[in-house]
């Protein structure tokens, strides 16, 4: 696949199932919709795993300032690799109002030294599109990008809450295996 310049840096728009098309993130038209999806992603992380305290932490961080910082981060990453954020755009059906059905965010190759591997930062699909092929299509996009990166270790890594059974089953179905365990310390 080639972008407008004739290089293999950006995926062409792809038709997927259920009236959704995968395409690279567009910083001119997608920020508001991506931020809505990111908020839903974060709120989902905080609910159902870790009790009310965890949910409150995630809810409190989702300020306007955090949103601006996040979108600046996305802009920086996509400037280094336009393929690192792939969005799923609704193109037909009841939800076809230029909204996004989901996204996947793989850190650009310049950041591979963080884990010595490709890093799947986020993947999210709106609830009404779950159970379709969309999450699989987004994962396929993430794996293809990671396979194209020059990595110290030929791995794609992510962190997943061990209590998130749905996500764990999805990642296992896509060939992910436990590889160590992340620990955290609260900073004062």
């Amino acid at each position: 696949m080639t972008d407008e310049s004739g290089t293999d840096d950006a995926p062409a728009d792809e038709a997927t199932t259920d009236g959704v098309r995968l395409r690279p993130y567009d910083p001119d038209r997608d920020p508001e919709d991506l931020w809505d999806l990111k908020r839903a992603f974060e709120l989902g992380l905080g609910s159902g795993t870790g009790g009310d305290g965890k949910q409150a932490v995630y809810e409190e961080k989702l300020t306007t300032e955090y949103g601006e910082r996040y979108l600046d981060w996305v802009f920086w990453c996509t400037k280094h690799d336009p393929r690192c954020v792939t969005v799923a755009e609704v193109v037909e059906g009841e939800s076809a109002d230029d909204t996004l059905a989901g996204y996947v965010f793989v850190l650009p190759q310049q950041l591979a030294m963080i884990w010595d591997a490709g890093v799947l930062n986020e993947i999210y699909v709106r609830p009404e599109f779950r159970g379709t092929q969309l999450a699989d299509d987004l994962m396929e996009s993430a794996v293809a990008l990671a396979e194209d990166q020059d990595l110290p270790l030929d791995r794609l890594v992510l962190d997943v809450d061990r209590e998130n059974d749905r996500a764990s089953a999805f990642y296992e179905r896509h060939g992910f295996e436990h590889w160590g365990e992340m620990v955290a310390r609260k900073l004062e």
Side-chain angles (χ1 to χ4, degrees):
M1 291 181 266
T2 60
D3 66 5
E4 295 168 9
S5 66
T7 65
D8 289 332
D9 291 329
D13 291 350
E14 297 178 23
T16 63
T17 57
D18 300 311
V20 176
R21 172 181 65 216
L22 298 188
R23 63 169 174 78
Y25 171 77
D26 181 338
D28 293 324
R29 71 179 192 189
D30 294 334
E32 186 177 319
D33 288 337
L34 182 64
W35 174 238
D36 288 343
L37 293 175
K38 169 65 171 174
R39 283 182 48 79
F41 170 80
E42 294 283 344
L43 292 172
L45 290 176
S47 68
T49 59
D52 293 339
K54 182 177 177 183
Q55 185 168 357
V57 168
Y58 279 89
E59 287 173 359
E60 288 173 16
K61 83 173 190 178
L62 296 173
T63 64
T64 301
E65 179 185 347
Y66 180 85
E68 291 168 0
R69 288 178 60 203
Y70 174 77
L71 292 172
D72 286 346
W73 166 245
V74 169
F75 184 78
W76 184 90
C77 289
T78 57
K79 281 296 182 191
H80 285 82
D81 186 343
R83 292 175 42 193
C84 74
V85 177
T86 298
V87 297
E89 177 181 33
V90 179
V91 293
E92 59 186 53
E94 293 178 23
S95 300
D97 56 0
D98 292 330
T99 61
L100 302 179
Y103 71 102
V104 65
F105 184 174
V106 175
L107 296 184
Q109 178 178 300
Q110 290 84 342
L111 301 174
M113 301 306 279
I114 292 172
W115 291 103
D116 285 335
V119 178
L120 176 54
N121 193 52
E122 301 161 358
I123 185 169
Y124 179 77
V125 173
R126 286 190 348 216
E128 62 267 32
F129 290 91
R130 293 180 186 161
T132 68
Q133 181 69 33
L134 182 55
D136 297 317
D137 292 343
L138 288 167
M139 180 58 76
E140 185 177 309
S141 174
V143 170
L145 173 56
E147 287 175 339
D148 288 345
Q149 293 181 341
D150 182 16
L151 305 170
L153 300 175
D154 291 329
R155 292 185 182 274
L156 179 60
V157 299
L158 63 100
D159 69 277
V160 62
D161 192 310
R162 66 181 167 263
E163 295 179 33
N164 189 336
D165 295 332
R166 180 183 175 108
S168 294
F170 174 77
Y171 296 128
E172 286 175 20
R173 186 165 51 85
H174 283 277
F176 287 81
E177 300 173 346
H178 288 277
W179 191 47
E181 185 172 334
M182 181 179 281
V183 296
R185 178 188 187 274
K186 183 176 179 174
L187 300 175
E188 301 299 322

